[in-house]
Amino acid sequence: MYWHKKMRLFFSMHWVKFAIITAVLLLIALAVWGLMSMESFYMHLTLAQLPLQLLLTALSAAIFVYMYMMVFRGGFSKLERGRVKGENVRVRFDDVIGIDEAKEDAWEVVSLIKDRTRLQQIGGKILRGLLMVGPPGCGKTYLAKAIATEAGVPFISMAGSEFVEIFVGVGASRVRKLFKRARQLAYAHGACILFIDELDAIGRSRSFSYMGGGMETNATQNQILVEMDGLTDKEQNVIVIGATNAGEEVLDIALLRPGRFDRKIYIDKPGLEGREKLFKYYLSRVKHDRQMDLSRLAKRSVYKSPAEIENIVKEAALIATRHKKDSVTYKDISEAIERVDLGMKRKRVLTPTEKRNTAYHEAGHLIVMYILHPTDDVFKASIISRRSSQGVVYSQPREELYIHNKEKLLADIKVSLAGYVSEKLKCGSTSTGVSSDFKNAMRIAHSMVWQLGMSDKELLGDYTSVPNDQISDKIKEDLNNETQKIFHKCMKEVEALLTKEDILLERFTKELVERDELEYDEIEAIFAEYNKTRENPAKHIK
């Protein structure tokens, strides 16, 4: 359908090469004809000098071409990226897993590209821009490749950082060349997809200095705005796909208006069903236990992105290999999740007193988490050093929660304070190990009072949005008092619980000192031994 346009494009892009080849062949023919007409002596003399003349000519030509390319053909702004055929990307929509809603929106774009003739017949226009927004590792780039593959059109990919240079004007020049290349491919193939990854590198809100000047990225962004808004030729369907990990609010409003990025696709972390499909897909690439319950893995990996799940499977394969196993088991996956979330174990030799105090600290966290927390379950307790912490109680939510109520926030504070209270009750003094716990608890309590209106006095409003000098000292004092009130109330409840469960606290401390680590099943068994149960335990995800 587009063969004549492709031929015209090919000759328009390579006419210089054809001209050079023709000229060289003509010169060779003239040189041979001239040598044939010379006398024997002069012909031999000319042939003897010919290699040196060719060498000097080639050197001069190389210097000239280099200077010409640097000065007149872009130099630093030279664009290295070429097009990639859609069929060569080889990422189908079936390969994009865990983001079904985003796939539906993207498939609509593919349909518009495929049916662009019908769309133009009824007077419609194809989308000019598609913005993908979401956290890292959720498949934005992968989805863009799938769009190019399914649409079967050329695909050009660049990162936003490739437009940023120290030299003024280089970024804008690269943008012009990139869009020129995209328009040529769209003319020859009917459409072209231009993918700009990490768009926020050049798409942030424009800023200007006090003298009226702007940053170099301003010129680059201005050129993108002009190029996107200037794509009016009905046969030059260039679809710009931008991807960013930053929120929409950081991008310039001129980029987001209709006519530039017309459509926005929000890509979030996968839900339960999506995570199960991801585990099935990535485990199919390695030898694994076929009896493994993938639904348990999906429930164990709440809030994990596709990239994180892929990394977990890779880490599990390494662990299985290290243990000289023939396939990956559930235990390997579980260890990989802990290694990714908690970090590698560090062998530190603690004094008996340090080990006992750490065990009391973690046992306090464990008991309060198990009994009082409404949404999270304990999967592991350890007094082995990981990263910067001396011990850890590893917990996971039972399901995705996108809104946290007051009870959940208070439970988080109580769990954070439990280590401090346990040390104070059993050791007579506290240690520096409570610093991160206090920091987390204070952050939550401060947010509850200053931002969320969850104090007893009902000081409503987000006071962090008001300049500090515009809040009266009386209001500040009330807010701080309410924060401390939450702190002390939670601490008293934790102290009462740990005093009541003193036998359980001693038992867990003893087990941690002897074993260093307690797994989910062992923790459940000890609680069951003392007839301690909680409502809706997540035994199905152990």
Side-chain angles (χ1 to χ4, degrees):
M1 179 178 179
Y2 295 100
W3 66 268
H4 61 287
K5 293 184 178 180
K6 293 180 181 180
M7 291 296 294
R8 289 177 59 184
L9 175 63
F10 180 79
F11 282 110
S12 67
M13 295 181 64
H14 301 285
W15 68 270
V16 176
K17 296 178 183 178
F18 284 111
I20 292 174
I21 292 173
T22 303
V24 169
L25 292 176
L26 182 60
L27 288 174
I28 291 175
L30 290 174
V32 172
W33 178 78
L35 287 172
M36 295 295 294
S37 63
M38 295 176 64
E39 295 183 3
S40 177
F41 172 76
Y42 292 106
M43 184 175 66
H44 285 87
L45 180 63
T46 303
L47 290 174
Q49 296 175 343
L50 187 61
L52 181 60
Q53 291 177 350
L54 290 176
L55 178 62
L56 293 175
T57 303
L59 182 61
S60 300
I63 294 174
F64 172 78
V65 169
Y66 175 78
M67 296 301 296
Y68 176 79
M69 293 298 294
M70 289 298 295
V71 177
F72 298 104
R73 294 299 300 273
F76 294 110
S77 65
K78 182 180 179 182
L79 192 65
E80 299 292 341
R81 293 301 178 98
R83 65 115 172 187
V84 179
K85 292 183 179 179
E87 59 269 21
N88 292 340
V89 178
R90 295 179 182 176
V91 177
R92 315 298 302 189
F93 259 67
D94 293 339
D95 298 328
V96 182
I97 303 171
I99 49 174
D100 293 337
E101 292 183 4
K103 282 172 63 176
E104 291 178 7
D105 293 337
W107 183 253
E108 183 178 343
V109 176
V110 173
S111 301
L112 290 174
I113 296 174
K114 287 184 174 181
D115 297 337
R116 52 187 176 272
T117 303
R118 183 183 304 172
L119 180 66
Q120 291 168 356
Q121 287 176 350
I122 64 175
K125 291 184 178 180
I126 198 168
L127 293 174
R128 293 304 183 198
L130 177 67
L131 180 64
M132 296 183 182
V133 182
C138 287
K140 296 184 291 295
T141 304
Y142 212 59
L143 185 58
K145 292 179 180 179
I147 293 174
T149 302
E150 298 291 349
V153 297
F155 179 79
I156 301 177
S157 173
M158 286 195 73
S161 58
E162 294 184 63
F163 295 103
V164 181
E165 291 284 355
I166 191 173
F167 301 100
V168 177
V170 170
S173 177
R174 286 181 176 172
V175 170
R176 286 191 293 271
K177 292 182 179 181
L178 182 66
F179 275 86
K180 180 181 178 181
R181 175 67 170 156
R183 282 193 290 268
Q184 290 174 337
L185 292 172
Y187 172 77
H189 298 269
C192 177
I193 292 177
L194 175 56
F195 178 65
I196 303 177
D197 202 4
E198 306 300 342
L199 181 65
D200 52 286
I202 54 173
R204 291 180 178 270
S205 297
R206 286 165 287 183
S207 59
F208 300 90
S209 67
Y210 69 96
M211 297 182 65
M215 299 172 61
E216 160 61 8
T217 52
N218 288 358
T220 305
Q221 186 181 144
N222 290 338
Q223 190 63 46
I224 290 178
L225 297 177
V226 172
E227 295 289 347
M228 290 186 70
D229 213 17
L231 302 176
T232 57
D233 191 336
K234 64 180 181 179
E235 292 186 313
Q236 297 179 9
N237 295 318
V238 176
I239 300 96
V240 182
I241 300 179
T244 177
N245 299 326
E248 284 183 78
E249 61 277 1
V250 306
L251 298 178
D252 196 278
I253 56 175
L255 271 176
L256 301 177
R257 75 158 176 81
R260 291 192 175 118
F261 284 106
D262 306 272
R263 184 71 57 85
K264 300 176 183 65
I265 296 181
Y266 299 94
I267 301 176
D268 205 352
K269 293 182 178 180
L272 179 64
E273 184 179 351
R275 293 195 301 274
E276 185 173 345
K277 291 179 180 178
L278 285 164
F279 271 112
K280 182 179 180 180
Y281 176 76
Y282 289 118
L283 282 171
S284 67
R285 299 183 173 186
V286 299
K287 292 182 179 180
H288 66 282
D289 180 9
R290 301 296 176 181
Q291 304 301 318
M292 195 183 304
D293 189 352
L294 299 182
S295 63
R296 290 171 61 189
L297 290 177
K299 293 167 185 173
R300 180 80 186 271
S301 54
V302 178
Y303 301 129
K304 293 287 189 294
S305 69
E308 289 172 323
I309 291 176
E310 181 184 13
N311 187 43
I312 287 171
V313 174
K314 289 180 180 178
E315 189 68 36
L318 293 176
I319 292 171
T321 304
R322 192 177 300 117
H323 293 162
K324 302 187 184 305
K325 296 181 180 179
D326 295 329
S327 62
V328 175
T329 63
Y330 179 84
K331 184 178 180 181
D332 299 322
I333 296 284
S334 180
E335 186 177 343
I337 292 175
E338 293 172 7
R339 182 171 293 184
V340 170
D341 289 349
L342 305 179
M344 297 285 289
K345 296 179 181 178
R346 300 168 60 193
K347 294 184 179 180
R348 285 179 177 173
V349 180
L350 302 179
T351 65
T353 301
E354 284 181 319
K355 192 171 185 179
R356 182 177 63 88
N357 291 356
T358 303
Y360 273 123
H361 183 103
E362 301 305 332
H365 284 311
L366 189 158
I367 293 171
V368 174
M369 171 71 74
Y370 186 91
I371 296 177
L372 296 184
H373 208 288
T375 63
D376 292 7
D377 278 324
V378 182
F379 283 93
K380 190 185 194 74
S382 172
I383 58 172
I384 297 176
S385 300
R386 296 172 186 264
R387 293 176 181 161
S388 60
S389 62
Q390 185 54 55
V392 66
V393 170
Y394 179 51
S395 63
Q396 278 280 88
R398 300 171 196 160
E399 57 188 355
E400 288 93 348
L401 293 175
Y402 302 103
I403 299 176
H404 298 161
N405 58 25
K406 185 176 181 179
E407 288 69 28
K408 195 268 183 188
L409 297 176
L410 288 173
D412 287 339
I413 295 175
K414 292 171 187 176
V415 171
S416 295
L417 295 176
Y420 167 81
V421 174
S422 181
E423 286 187 42
K424 187 177 179 181
L425 288 175
K426 308 304 292 186
C427 304
S429 63
T430 58
S431 66
T432 57
V434 303
S435 61
S436 60
D437 295 331
F438 274 176
K439 184 177 181 180
N440 183 55
M442 181 61 75
R443 177 184 57 81
I444 297 172
H446 184 274
S447 178
M448 289 175 65
V449 176
W450 284 72
Q451 292 179 277
L452 304 176
M454 292 183 178
S455 64
D456 291 340
K457 280 192 174 183
E458 295 187 352
L459 295 165
L460 303 180
D462 182 0
Y463 290 91
T464 60
S465 64
V466 181
N468 191 55
D469 57 357
Q470 295 182 20
I471 303 176
S472 68
D473 292 338
K474 179 65 169 61
I475 294 294
K476 291 179 185 177
E477 183 180 356
D478 289 343
L479 291 169
N480 290 329
N481 288 339
E482 288 299 308
T483 302
Q484 282 298 312
K485 186 177 178 181
I486 290 176
F487 232 62
H488 288 287
K489 184 178 179 181
C490 289
M491 190 172 71
K492 287 180 180 179
E493 291 183 22
V494 171
E495 189 172 347
L497 175 64
L498 293 181
T499 302
K500 177 184 175 183
E501 304 295 345
D502 182 71
I503 297 176
L504 201 57
L505 180 61
E506 290 289 349
R507 174 64 184 278
F508 274 114
T509 301
K510 178 175 178 293
E511 295 290 340
L512 284 171
V513 170
E514 292 177 355
R515 303 190 198 180
D516 289 337
E517 289 186 334
L518 293 174
E519 299 293 341
Y520 180 92
D521 292 332
E522 296 167 333
I523 293 171
E524 285 287 337
I526 294 174
F527 276 113
E529 182 181 334
Y530 290 88
N531 296 320
K532 297 293 180 182
T533 59
R534 61 179 303 172
E535 296 182 2
N536 302 318
K539 293 182 179 180
H540 53 288
I541 57 175
K542 62 184 179 179

